[in-house]
């Protein structure tokens, strides 16, 4: 037990088997969705109980004997269905989080939860006692509430599952001012939904109003529009799109309940309707019925028989069997919304043909990744100054680049705190005043969960699928509710980790760069300087340079350009609007510097207002492979040890890899340094050399092993320690890449100090955006940074799992170790997150991920956060 083919098993699972005469012990193995076998337990008994995630499983038992060969049982299968209420919660829509000046009666609205029978609404006023203000089967309720600060939540009630509470939200009610001309409402709608799925256009409540007029048009000027009157705060629409995406525009105005007055129209909002053949599907959160997507399988001559299935319980494929002839076949993939999480849900359609199940030889992909995103409504408007714990991804986009490149951004947001958290996503278009214009949405993330937001500008904000193009910056703003007696816990100090992978998408794979989110507290003002090195403008490379202002104030910036000897080539002034993102492509050439094979930028804020960060994206002109150069605060890090993990000189099955290293001495005096290279597998025999880096110099060490450490035995990969007797203000970076006849593929690696590493009893490092699939493979690197031994505890957290897969890795002093994500035995992994902590020893550890495109072999270096 479970019986073969059981389809309604619940976790934890009790595995039972018959005793085998003479057996001295048993090992229990499972295989998740066709992945690698994983041993999940051993015992001398004939049963084990284990937590198992949702999905389809194969399982078997191996019996062991004294003096006889082991015996393996037959293999059984079972599946654990997704539940409609597990980790699914309402998302509160209106009033908006923190909204001021709402008047009573108030219409409270929230997203539906699939499978919920009723909803209970609880509220407290100005910190008073919580009370139940209503129970309803709908997803809205009208209540007369007194003036003050209202804190409220919604509980979704199920027939056979525990009640699930929403996150807590707040707004303020003001005393009614009598009959006044209504203010314009704020409208919102999902940026994109797939054809045939319903979506809501909704808007904020308005004083002295009970009805609203909503207009719909296929053009933004509303030259031809339809109008309807709504008694409420939302209208539902369902549209279809056959061959091409279609966009619909909406605007809303309020009708006074006590006069003939009407408000001005809201700002225009729009939704893109995708055809079912789109490569990614989106649907409004709370959708009740199945979401469908179509996959076209190319024709086969001669015809072949096939079977098709999904590797997730929420994926159904029809037809599941049949014949692929010369005309090909279209498969319909249906997603069960009750099992989907907010954000992007990714699975695989597995296809086998003929008798062997090997299909790559006949042109049919054996594993086709598919995804569907549940999205929340987007509202237009500017943003206020962020709190210190806001995270800002400097650049996101869905836009065409030079040399026929197309860049898009996949974002990840992890709530590593202990309680659910609400976030506001603020997108600001490049070149605009972020306090006056932008787009905003809200998301909820459960504790310990990582939300995937693939191609965020298209799926969430509706930019790109109908031919549009945009770049900008994304703020992830925690909306922390105050302590109230709606919950017994105090307000948590929520920790959030976020990042983006912005990549050039081609028909034959991707070329990407990792962009970590920058806390607003790390943006610089006057008197601070950022340094960026390993930038270039030549026939081989171009540098795109970006600036972001985040405080909502105008800023003046001066960008200094240096060569590696420290000679200043140019000083280029820039002026930023409040909240503006600006990217200058071919930055050096655009400012009169046609050639700089290797150089450095310094960025300083010269105005008394504004908070700024910067980045450089160095792009190979042949491959269009981008490499993000993150800024270092000049003179901020003083240490005696700087470790660069992941350097070397080696070959794999696809290419030859090497490392270019740069050492910048930001101090005012020359600095003698020792370079110690620790090869993987032999940390007790480093290769050592010494050198002196002059004040203001960037020492270039191209092809590090061959040029500087030739005594290292090839092939080799390891870590480089740059050390000094006295504390130094060095900035050490590396570019590890492969050189081909048609360009390079590389990853940028910043050095880590012991203070930036973690030790025993400290927090865990977080690695986001890891994947093991037909699309990508991932390596995880570990390095000890202090010269003392340590034990690293490495855990893989799966988005669909209730538990983590963990392993302990002992590290010697200065040891570098790299392992594969596949070695965890989890099979196909999308949106994986790895945590690294230290559980023993006095050493300190850093970590990274290297996500490699299976087609292009391009690596993306994932910095630990």
């Amino acid at each position: 037990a479970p019986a073969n083919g059981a389809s309604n098993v619940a976790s934890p699972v009790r595995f039972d088997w018959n005793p085998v005469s003479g057996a001295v012990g048993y090992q229990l193995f499972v295989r998740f969705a066709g992945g690698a076998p994983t041993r999940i337990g051993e015992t001398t008994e004939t049963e084990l109980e284990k937590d198992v995630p949702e999905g389809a499983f194969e399982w078997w038992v191996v019996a062991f004997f004294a003096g006889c060969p082991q015996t393996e049982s037959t293999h059984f299968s079972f599946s654990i269905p997704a539940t409609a209420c597990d980790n699914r919660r309402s998302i509160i829509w209106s009033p908006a989080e923190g909204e001021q000046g709402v008047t009573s009666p108030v219409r409270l609205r929230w997203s539906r939860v699939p499978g919920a029978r009723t909803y209970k609404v609880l509220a407290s006023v100005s910190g008073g006692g919580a009370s139940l203000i209503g129970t309803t089967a709908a997803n809205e309720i009208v209540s007369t509430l007194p003036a003050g600060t209202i804190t409220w939540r919604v509980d979704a009630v199920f027939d056979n599952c525990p009640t699930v509470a929403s996150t807590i939200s707040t707004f303020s009610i003001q005393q009614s001012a009598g009959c006044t001309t209504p203010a314009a409402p704020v409208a919102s709608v999902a940026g994109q939904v797939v054809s045939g799925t319903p979506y809501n256009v909704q808007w904020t409540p308005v004083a002295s109003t009970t009805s609203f007029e909503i207009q719909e048009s296929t053009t933004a000027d509303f030259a031809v529009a339809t109008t309807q009157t709504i008694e409420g705060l939302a209208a539902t629409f369902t549209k279809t799109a056959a061959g091409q995406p279609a966009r619909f525009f909406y605007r809303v105005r309020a009708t006074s309940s006590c006069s003939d007055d009407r408000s001005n129209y809201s700002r225009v909002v729009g939704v893109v309707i995708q055809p079912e053949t789109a490569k990614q599907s989106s649907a409004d959160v709370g959708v009740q019925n199945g979401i469908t997507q179509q996959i076209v399988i190319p024709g086969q001559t001669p015809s072949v028989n096939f079977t098709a299935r999904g590797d997730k319980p929420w994926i159904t494929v029809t037809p599941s069997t049949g014949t692929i002839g010369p005309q090909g076949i279209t498969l319909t993939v249906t997603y069960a919304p009750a099992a989907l999480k907010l954000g992007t849900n990714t699975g695989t359609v597995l296809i086998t043909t003929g008798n062997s199940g090997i299909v790559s030889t006949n042109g049919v992909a054996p594993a086709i990744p598919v995804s569907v995103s549940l999205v929340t409504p987007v509202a237009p408007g500017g943003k206020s100054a962020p709190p210190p714990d806001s995270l800002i991804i400097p650049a996101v986009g869905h836009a065409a680049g030079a040399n026929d490149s197309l860049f898009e951004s996949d974002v990840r947001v992890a709530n590593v705190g202990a309680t659910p958290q609400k976030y506001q996503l603020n997108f600001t278009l490049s070149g605009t005043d972020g306090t006056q214009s932008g787009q905003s949405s809200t998301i909820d993330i459960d504790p310990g969960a990582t939300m995937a937001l693939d191609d965020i500008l298209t799926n969430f904000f509706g930019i790109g699928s109908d031919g549009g193009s945009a770049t900008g910056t994304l703020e992830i703003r925690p909306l922390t509710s105050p302590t109230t007696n709606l919950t017994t816990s105090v307000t948590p100090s929520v920790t959030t980790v976020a990042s983006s992978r912005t990549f050039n998408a081609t028909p034959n794979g991707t070329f990407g760069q990792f962009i970590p989110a920058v806390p607003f507290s790390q943006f610089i003002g006057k008197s601070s300087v950022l340094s960026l090195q390993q930038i270039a403008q030549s026939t081989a490379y171009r540098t795109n340079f970006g600036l972001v202002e985040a405080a909502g104030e105008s800023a003046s910036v001066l960008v200094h350009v240096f060569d590696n000897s420290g000679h200043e080539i140019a000083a280029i002034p820039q002026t930023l609007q409040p909240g503006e993102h600006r990217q200058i492509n071919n930055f050096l050439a655009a400012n009169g510097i046609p050639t700089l094979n290797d150089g450095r930028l310094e960025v300083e804020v010269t105005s008394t207002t504004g908070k700024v960060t910067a980045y450089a994206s160095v792009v190979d002109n042949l491959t269009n492979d981008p490499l993000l150069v993150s800024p270092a605060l000049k003179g901020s890090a003083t240490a005696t040890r700087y470790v660069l993990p992941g350097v070397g000189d080696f070959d794999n099955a696809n290419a030859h890899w090497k490392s270019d290293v740069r050492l910048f001495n930001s101090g005012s005096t020359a600095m003698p340094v020792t370079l110690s290279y620790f090869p993987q597998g032999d940390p007790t025999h480093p290769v050592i050399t010494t050198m002196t880096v002059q004040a203001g110099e960037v020492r270039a060490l191209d092809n590090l092993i061959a040029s500087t450490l030739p005594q290292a035995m090839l092939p080799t990969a390891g870590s480089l320690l740059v050390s000094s007797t006295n504390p130094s203000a060095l900035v050490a970076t590396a570019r590890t890449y492969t050189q081909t006849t048609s360009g390079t593929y590389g990853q940028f690696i910043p050095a880590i100090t012991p203070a930036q590493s973690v030790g025993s009893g400290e927090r865990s490092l977080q690695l986001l955006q890891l994947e093991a699939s037909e699309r990508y493979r991932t390596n995880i690197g570990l390095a000890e940074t202090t010269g003392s031994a340590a034990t690293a505890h490495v855990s893989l957290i799966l988005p669909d799992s209730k538990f983590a897969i963990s392993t302990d890795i002992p590290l010697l002093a200065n040891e570098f170790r790299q392992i594969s994500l596949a070695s965890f035995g989890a099979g196909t992994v999308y949106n994986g997150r790895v945590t690294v902590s230290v559980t023993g020893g006095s050493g300190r550890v850093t970590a990274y991920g290297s996500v490699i495109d299976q087609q292009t072999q391009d690596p993306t270096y994932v910095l630990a956060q």
Side-chain angles (χ1 to χ4, degrees):
N4 194 32
S7 60
N8 199 27
V9 179
S11 186
V13 179
R14 183 176 294 278
F15 297 90
D16 298 278
W17 55 91
N18 62 288
V20 180
S21 178
V24 296
Y26 305 91
Q27 290 183 345
L28 174 63
F29 289 82
V30 299
R31 188 197 310 269
F32 174 68
T38 301
R39 188 179 73 191
I40 63 171
E42 53 186 293
T43 179
T44 58
E45 306 297 327
T46 58
E47 66 176 36
L48 275 173
E49 185 172 273
K50 291 290 182 179
D51 281 318
V52 179
E54 299 163 354
F57 290 87
E58 179 184 0
W59 76 283
W60 62 96
V61 176
V62 175
F64 291 86
F65 306 86
C68 296
Q70 65 190 44
T71 300
E72 184 174 310
S73 73
T74 55
H75 290 213
F76 279 14
S77 65
F78 68 93
S79 61
I80 298 179
T83 58
C85 52
D86 181 34
N87 292 326
R88 318 291 186 253
R89 62 184 72 252
S90 296
I91 296 172
I92 292 173
W93 281 338
S94 64
E97 172 70 24
E99 186 172 349
Q100 306 290 316
V102 178
T103 58
S104 192
V106 182
R107 190 179 298 270
L108 306 171
R109 295 194 68 249
W110 55 91
S111 65
R112 291 186 180 275
V113 180
R117 173 170 50 83
T118 57
Y119 302 92
K120 294 181 177 179
V121 182
L122 297 94
S124 67
V125 181
S126 299
S131 61
L132 178 69
I133 64 172
T135 300
T136 178
N139 64 325
E140 65 175 47
I141 194 169
V142 177
S143 180
T144 300
L145 296 170
T149 300
I150 308 297
T151 304
W152 68 295
R153 77 164 196 253
V154 177
D155 290 352
V157 181
F158 302 84
D159 286 326
N160 300 307
C161 301
T163 296
V164 178
S166 73
T167 52
I168 296 171
S169 189
T170 63
F171 63 94
S172 296
I173 293 180
Q174 67 178 8
Q175 295 286 355
S176 175
C179 187
T180 60
T181 300
V186 177
S188 60
V189 68
Q192 177 174 271
V193 300
V194 71
S195 177
T197 59
Y199 58 91
N200 286 314
V201 181
Q202 54 195 50
W203 47 91
T204 53
V206 175
S208 305
T209 300
T210 56
S211 66
F212 297 83
E213 292 180 357
I214 178 171
Q215 286 193 331
E216 177 189 80
S217 177
T218 57
T219 60
D221 61 3
F222 287 81
V224 178
T226 59
T227 303
Q228 58 177 304
T229 299
I230 301 293
E231 299 286 337
L233 294 175
T236 302
F237 299 86
T238 302
K239 303 291 182 180
T240 58
Q244 297 295 323
R247 185 179 289 270
F248 292 85
F249 298 92
Y250 298 91
R251 62 184 184 182
V252 182
R253 64 179 178 179
T255 301
S256 173
S257 58
C258 53
S259 70
D260 294 331
D261 293 336
R262 288 174 170 78
S263 72
N264 293 326
Y265 278 109
S266 66
R267 292 189 181 185
V268 175
V269 296
V271 59
V272 174
I273 311 300
Q274 302 170 284
E276 289 185 331
T277 53
K279 69 173 184 177
Q280 300 181 83
S281 295
S282 302
D284 202 348
V285 66
V287 63
Q288 299 291 301
N289 298 322
I291 306 162
T292 59
Q293 181 180 7
Q294 293 182 343
I295 300 174
V296 178
I297 306 299
Q300 301 294 302
T301 304
S303 299
V304 295
N305 295 326
F306 78 93
T307 61
R309 66 179 179 88
D311 71 339
K312 304 289 185 184
W314 40 267
I315 297 176
T316 302
V317 184
T318 54
S320 59
T321 61
T323 300
I324 306 174
Q327 293 76 33
I329 192 170
T330 298
L331 302 180
T332 298
V333 182
T334 302
Y335 307 106
L340 299 178
K341 293 179 171 64
L342 183 64
T344 303
N345 303 262
T346 303
T348 309
V349 173
L350 303 172
I351 300 176
T352 59
T353 60
N355 296 322
S356 67
I358 300 174
V359 299
S360 58
T361 57
N362 59 22
V364 179
I368 303 174
V370 292
S371 67
V372 57
S373 295
L374 291 188
V375 301
T376 49
V378 174
K383 61 184 179 182
S384 59
D389 57 349
S390 269
L391 298 175
I392 297 167
I393 297 176
V396 293
H398 185 105
N403 302 331
D404 297 322
S405 54
L406 175 64
F407 289 92
E408 51 190 71
S409 299
D410 292 348
V411 170
R412 298 292 182 269
V413 183
N415 173 11
V416 297
T419 58
Q421 178 63 47
K422 181 189 294 289
Y423 302 91
Q424 185 178 60
L425 303 179
N426 295 319
F427 171 66
T428 300
L429 188 68
S430 299
T432 62
D433 182 337
T435 65
Q436 300 301 311
S437 65
Q439 293 176 278
S440 299
S441 187
T442 58
I443 57 174
D444 288 351
I445 304 181
D446 287 319
T450 304
M451 182 174 291
L453 303 168
D454 283 358
D455 197 1
I456 185 169
L457 292 195
T458 296
N459 288 321
F460 250 73
F461 294 101
I463 300 168
S465 58
D466 62 344
S469 180
T471 60
T473 187
L474 182 74
E475 179 198 353
I476 301 157
R477 180 178 298 195
L479 300 175
T480 303
S481 299
T483 302
T484 75
N485 57 6
L486 287 178
T487 175
T488 57
S489 65
V490 298
T491 302
S493 177
V494 176
T495 302
T496 307
V497 182
S499 66
S500 171
R501 180 176 183 264
T502 293
F503 55 92
N504 174 25
T506 77
N508 299 312
T510 65
F511 304 92
Q513 58 190 345
F514 177 80
I515 305 176
V518 181
F520 174 57
S521 58
Q522 293 181 11
F523 279 59
I524 67 165
K526 190 175 176 62
S527 302
S528 296
V529 176
L530 298 175
S531 176
L532 303 97
Q533 59 199 48
Q534 285 190 276
I535 60 114
Q537 184 74 42
S538 65
T539 56
Y541 300 102
R542 64 186 185 271
T543 296
N544 301 328
F545 174 68
L547 292 166
V548 180
E549 199 290 315
E553 302 170 338
S554 59
S556 297
V557 176
L558 194 59
V559 183
H560 304 270
V561 183
F562 296 90
D563 62 20
N564 280 352
S565 67
H567 173 68
E568 184 169 356
I569 299 172
I572 304 166
Q574 298 287 325
T575 301
L576 298 174
Q577 301 175 77
E580 181 183 359
H581 166 261
R582 180 181 300 175
Q583 180 168 301
I584 304 101
N585 294 335
N586 287 291
F587 175 73
L588 297 174
N591 286 280
I593 308 172
T595 303
L596 181 63
N597 291 326
D598 199 356
R600 188 175 65 86
L601 302 178
E602 283 190 1
V603 178
E604 64 169 324
V605 178
T606 57
S607 59
T608 57
T609 58
K611 296 288 186 179
V612 174
T613 194
Y615 64 89
S617 181
V618 182
V619 186
D620 186 288
N621 284 328
L622 293 178
T623 62
N624 287 317
D625 176 37
L627 177 149
L628 183 88
V629 177
S630 296
L633 184 60
K634 186 179 179 181
S636 64
T638 55
T640 59
R641 297 171 65 92
Y642 299 83
V643 175
L644 287 165
V647 298
D649 191 336
F650 59 93
D651 294 284
N652 61 19
N654 303 289
H656 177 77
W657 292 84
K658 56 186 178 180
S659 300
D660 293 348
V661 170
R662 298 292 182 270
L663 305 177
F664 168 50
N665 179 6
S666 66
S668 58
T669 60
M671 181 59 62
V673 296
T674 299
L675 274 60
S676 304
Y677 174 70
F678 296 91
Q680 182 170 214
D682 190 15
T684 59
H685 296 91
V687 180
I688 299 174
T689 190
T690 60
M691 62 183 61
T692 298
V693 185
Q694 300 300 318
E697 177 193 4
V698 177
R699 177 65 63 91
L701 305 173
D702 286 344
N703 199 0
L704 171 73
I705 302 299
S707 68
T708 310
L709 303 166
Q711 60 269 50
M713 297 294 292
L714 300 181
T716 183
S719 62
L720 181 70
L721 168 65
V722 183
S723 59
S724 58
T725 302
N726 299 315
S728 61
L730 287 175
V731 179
T733 60
R735 180 174 183 259
T736 295
Y737 63 100
T738 178
Q739 178 79 55
T740 74
T741 56
S742 52
T744 63
Y745 312 99
Q747 52 191 355
F748 182 78
I749 302 172
I752 302 297
T753 66
Q756 295 167 323
S757 310
V758 293
S760 181
E762 298 179 2
R763 70 179 183 91
S764 296
L765 296 173
Q766 306 287 331
L767 297 170
L768 305 184
Q769 301 198 261
L770 308 185
E771 185 167 322
S773 70
E774 291 291 311
R775 304 185 301 186
Y776 302 100
R777 67 183 186 274
T778 297
N779 296 320
I780 298 165
L782 303 167
E784 199 287 314
T785 61
T786 65
S788 300
T791 299
H793 183 71
V794 185
S795 296
L796 168 62
I797 300 171
L798 301 170
D800 298 326
S801 178
K802 299 178 179 67
F803 64 94
I805 304 172
S806 301
T807 186
D808 287 326
I809 299 178
L811 296 172
L812 298 176
N814 300 305
E815 184 174 5
F816 168 80
R817 184 87 66 88
Q818 184 167 282
I819 61 175
S820 71
L821 191 66
S823 66
F824 285 85
T828 298
V829 175
Y830 300 105
N831 188 25
R833 176 164 62 95
V834 162
T835 65
V836 178
S837 59
V838 175
T839 56
S842 59
R844 300 180 69 81
V845 174
T846 188
Y848 69 84
S850 182
V851 182
I852 304 166
D853 187 286
Q854 299 275 40
Q855 290 182 273
T856 64
Q857 305 306 315
D858 175 53
T860 299
Y861 187 84
V862 177
L863 188 68
Q865 298 185 78

